[in-house]
Amino acid sequence: MRRSRGLAAALALSLAGTGAGAVLGLVPQAAAVTPPVAFTADALSTWQPNGVVWALAETGGTVFVGGTFSAVRPPEGSGGAEQSAVNFAALDAATGAPTSCHLSFTVGGGTATVRALTLSPDKQTLYAGGYFGAVNGTPVSSLAAIDVATCTVKTGFRPAFAATVRALAVTNDTVYAGGDFLTVAGQPRRRFAAVDADDGALRPFTADADEPGRAVEVTPDGSRVLLGGDFFTVNGTDTHALAVVDAGSGALTRTYAGFIETNSVVKDIATDATGFYTANEGTGGGVFDGRIALDLGDFNQRWRDTCLGATQAVLPYQNVLYSASHAHDCSSVGEYPDGQRHHLLAQPTTSVGKLGWAPDTNDGIGEGIGPRVMAVGSKGGVQYLWVGGEFTTVNGSAQQSLTRFASTGDTGAPTVPVATAASFKPGEVQVRWRTSLDLDDSALTYRIYRGGSATPIATVTADSLFFKRPQASWTDTTAAAGQSYTYRVTATDAAGNTSAPSATASVTVPTSVDAYPHQVRADGAQLFWRYDDASLPNVADSSAAGNQNGVHLNAPALRQTPGAVSGASTAIGFNGTDTRVYGDQRQTIGAAYTIETWFKTNTTRGGKLFGFGNNQVRGSSQYDKHLYMTNDGRLVYGVYTGATRTITTGAAYNDDQWHHVVATQGPGGMVLYVDGAQQGTLAVTTHENYAGYWHAGGDSLGGWPNPPTSEFWAGRLDETAVYPSVLSAAQVQNHYALATAPADSVVQVRAAEDTYANAGAPDANYGGSSSLAVRGSSPYTSYLRFDLPAAPAGTVLKSASLSVKTSTMSGAGTADTVSVVPVTSTWTEAGTTYYNRPATGTAALGSFPGIPDGSAVHTTGLNTAALAGALGTGYSLALTSPGTDALWLWSSEAAAGEGTPQLTLTFGAP
């Protein structure tokens, strides 16, 4: 099918970001997508046929639709009556509604169909090919010419094709056709032919093929014709599925014997100013289903995209190649593995890498192919990409056989980020999220909000595609030790569409280093799944780099307690049937690596705990570098070198207790450790080299020794890590010891009573007030009482801090130092006035060196020894100041105080 293609200068990938001071909420919409993509992924309302669309062409704001159908009806969910449309419809490019042009393509016997539409260079004549014997009752024979202005058949154009015409291309004076026919006007023409554009007279052009022709395209200079189809020979010469012939004679000028697999065909060919592109479909194993770009200068290959999944149509537009297929496996070009079908894709005309444009259809009716044809139309300064085929849904909503996408009006917001936060040492919080999905924007802007603020604390840009959504992260280095924080994250696309905020991620910053995770990070883990996630589907990566997140499959059990490591960390539970986690990042593994995890199970069916495989959702066909359990509870560590090479423990570990397992491989060979002790070695330094994904909880195990009953593992995992190096025996033993040592615990204690005394109103009691005040002259003093817990058994108080929150009144902060001193006599909230205020000590337990204006939480460390002596009792503090600049705080009665005043106590091993 001949199509008009515009060519514009390449656009570099860019990001329309906004400043860090933006207010949380919707940003005004703009007509933008991530360049070089030219169309949004938002499907527009369009009238729809009741059958299959095979052909599209456009001129003057009208889109002509051909196929096998009998009627068109309004878009889903709208009113209006169905209209008769026998294998042809003319629709308004901007509204998708029928125009006044009505043509019926019919045949006396069999099923009529329109398979090809193309326009003359002057756009005055529409040529239609297919299988039909009449148009609006005028006799024709599978090829007709339509006057565009009057929507009538040109009776002077009367070629006689004896069978189906599947492809058309037109120059000023010639119509080229491909299809199933063997004769034209009674003369031998096998599958390809040329006729006069005015009267349909047969031209001498002869390019006889042994199998059907499916694609015809004329080179931009008009000297050559590109042929595609099922054939193996043209004019008796070997050239499978693709050939270049002379435009006048049909003589071969370039052949492609052995270039395309014998069980694959060419379904479509399209050109731009620099090259031509083929859409390929295969049948059976070892097929070629993807796309090829070839240069016009020498007709040699520019690139080959070997994705599997029957490509039906290609359309180059503004340096982007749009394609219609059901591509389900692009692992051969470094992209997504075999799994879900993706029906609409975009990539640069210069390479195979997919761009951030991925609206989708389903396979639909008929052959279950999905989309089959594409064309660009224009009206009112807006370009529209039309897509036809046999689908019945677009982007998950009902819509049959026809849809369209515009160059403006992007309204689809990115998906809501799934955010978590973690802190492993004082003064640092790692906020991380799985990058969002936006079907027409790969470059997104993320804004991080802390503590309910409407102003972001940070802005991060990150790229994501529908098959590659790595974790993004940001580290908050202003977080105070002992303080609790909340974070939310939003995603904004290039048009300004903003997602809803993520669910709140909460974290408490430790007052000392969290020993186990800190050591895992320090030892260089590049993947660290702690399984503390509270919601599906993301598994956060707690490594320092923070981009190797995982994805839950079939809803494993989250936040299982107790975890393997002492403290608040939780584990994940797998059912041994279908639940697991797979990595979101495709990668290759170097010669040296370490895998580590904790596990707990009583299963007698075995299964894979952790390992590497070449697929994500489906079982892998390549798999090694893994740990699995036999039915009797022994652990196996194995790699594949052309044969399976394994280390197996002598002891069983399905005793329903937590165990630590580490497997390493490097220049010294393979080593397996369990619970800090070496369990076996093997002098094997290589493994299978392939790109793949890490899996926890299950993956393929066929062909491995002592195979378990189940490839999926039933039990709990915790603290899974992968390192790009070999951990030493000492490091392994240290990890085991750190995990089993008592962990620090954090207790937060809210004030049981609080009030302040005011020298200016010495008889007044402020016990029920929502505010506290501190000033030296004239004096305000605030008093706080806390019921301190006893230290947990085997621990001591390691640190203590006090948090207060300034109020929202103007000038609530102070330039003066505020001291925290002990209260040395009794008092009550309800009875304290300035006249009977309690006595205080002179030695400060801690201090705030000035507090700025603006409502915010402020924290200071306190004398640990002083509070340690009061554990298990009530303990009172006073806030005093020497100056004249008053400090105003929320009391415990104020909802805006969010739990302040508050003590944070950290207990740990002596």
Side-chain angles (χ1 to χ4, degrees), residues 630 632-636 647-653 672 674 678-680:
T630 63
D632 59 7
R634 291 175 297 146
L635 290 174
V636 181
I647 302 171
T648 304
T649 64
Y653 296 95
L672 178 63
V674 180
Q678 188 181 109
Q679 298 297 315

Side-chain angles (χ1 to χ4, degrees), residues 607-678:
K608 182 179 289 190
L609 284 72
F610 190 75
F612 196 70
N614 69 338
N615 214 318
Q616 289 179 299
V617 177
R618 298 184 179 182
S620 297
S621 59
Q622 292 175 286
Y623 40 94
D624 76 333
K625 297 174 281 294
H626 53 202
L627 292 162
Y628 64 93
M629 179 173 280
T630 63
N631 287 347
D632 59 7
R634 291 175 297 146
L635 290 174
V636 181
Y637 164 40
V639 300
Y640 187 74
T641 63
T644 58
R645 307 302 299 275
T646 60
I647 302 171
T648 304
T649 64
Y653 296 95
N654 55 347
D655 56 1
D656 210 23
Q657 300 296 315
W658 280 111
H659 296 284
H660 179 233
V661 57
V662 176
T664 71
Q665 187 179 31
M670 300 166 58
V671 185
L672 178 63
Y673 303 87
V674 180
D675 294 339
Q678 188 181 109

Side-chain angles (χ1 to χ4, degrees), residues 285-570:
V287 301
F288 174 56
D289 267 349
R291 293 153 289 282
I292 304 174
L294 302 98
D295 292 318
L296 285 171
D298 56 12
F299 300 106
N300 288 333
Q301 179 175 293
R302 180 189 305 167
W303 51 255
R304 180 179 292 227
D305 184 338
T306 54
C307 289
L308 294 175
T311 306
Q312 303 298 309
V314 285
L315 175 61
Y317 182 78
Q318 295 185 353
N319 299 326
V320 172
L321 184 68
Y322 298 89
S323 59
S325 68
H326 55 258
H328 58 85
D329 185 355
C330 288
S331 58
S332 62
V333 292
E335 296 174 335
Y336 56 92
D338 192 19
Q340 180 181 343
R341 292 184 170 196
H342 301 278
H343 296 84
L344 295 169
L345 299 175
Q347 60 200 97
T349 54
T350 56
S351 67
V352 302
K354 305 305 179 294
L355 297 171
W357 184 80
D360 204 11
T361 73
N362 64 354
D363 289 344
I365 59 177
E367 297 176 36
I369 292 294
R372 288 187 175 274
V373 63
M374 298 182 294
V376 173
S378 178
K379 190 170 185 180
V382 178
Q383 286 68 50
Y384 298 92
L385 175 62
W386 285 70
V387 178
E390 56 196 73
F391 47 85
T392 57
T393 66
V394 180
N395 291 342
S397 297
Q399 175 69 23
Q400 184 171 343
S401 301
L402 199 60
T403 189
R404 60 198 177 101
F405 307 94
S407 61
T408 188
D410 180 15
T411 60
T415 58
V416 178
V418 179
T420 60
S423 182
F424 310 109
K425 63 181 181 181
E428 186 175 292
V429 172
Q430 184 190 53
V431 184
R432 58 278 176 98
W433 59 94
R434 187 187 188 199
T435 47
S436 296
L437 174 63
D438 191 293
L439 294 179
D440 47 32
D441 291 279
S442 56
L444 300 176
T445 298
Y446 298 90
R447 292 179 176 85
I448 301 98
Y449 299 84
R450 188 173 79 176
S453 172
T455 301
I457 191 174
T459 299
V460 173
T461 59
D463 290 340
S464 56
L465 295 167
F466 65 92
F467 59 88
K468 185 168 62 177
R469 295 171 60 188
Q471 178 173 292
S473 62
W474 170 77
T475 300
D476 185 355
T477 58
T478 67
Q483 180 62 46
S484 296
Y485 295 92
T486 60
Y487 299 87
R488 295 175 301 159
V489 180
T490 64
T492 302
D493 67 15
N497 301 303
T498 299
S499 73
S502 69
T504 299
S506 303
V507 65
T508 298
V509 182
T511 56
S512 60
V513 169
D514 194 348
Y516 184 87
H518 177 75
Q519 194 61 54
V520 170
R521 288 159 58 93
D523 284 341
Q526 66 178 9
L527 175 154
F528 187 18
W529 296 344
R530 303 205 72 199
Y531 306 116
D532 294 336
D533 315 282
S535 60
L536 302 168
N538 190 55
V539 180
D541 175 18
S542 294
S543 71
N547 61 7
Q548 296 283 344
N549 57 304
V551 180
H552 299 115
L553 182 64
N554 296 324
L558 305 183
R559 297 190 62 78
Q560 301 294 289
T561 58
V565 176
S566 300
S569 183
T570 60

Side-chain angles (χ1 to χ4, degrees), residues 234-281:
V234 172
N235 291 338
T237 300
D238 291 342
T239 181
H240 175 52
L242 183 65
V244 181
V245 299
D246 181 82
S249 66
L252 279 161
T253 62
R254 178 62 189 269
T255 61
Y256 292 92
F259 182 68
I260 295 173
E261 282 74 356
T262 58
N263 54 356
S264 298
V265 302
V266 169
K267 299 297 290 289
D268 188 26
I269 299 175
T271 64
D272 61 16
T274 65
F276 66 101
Y277 309 87
T278 69
N280 303 271
E281 176 185 77

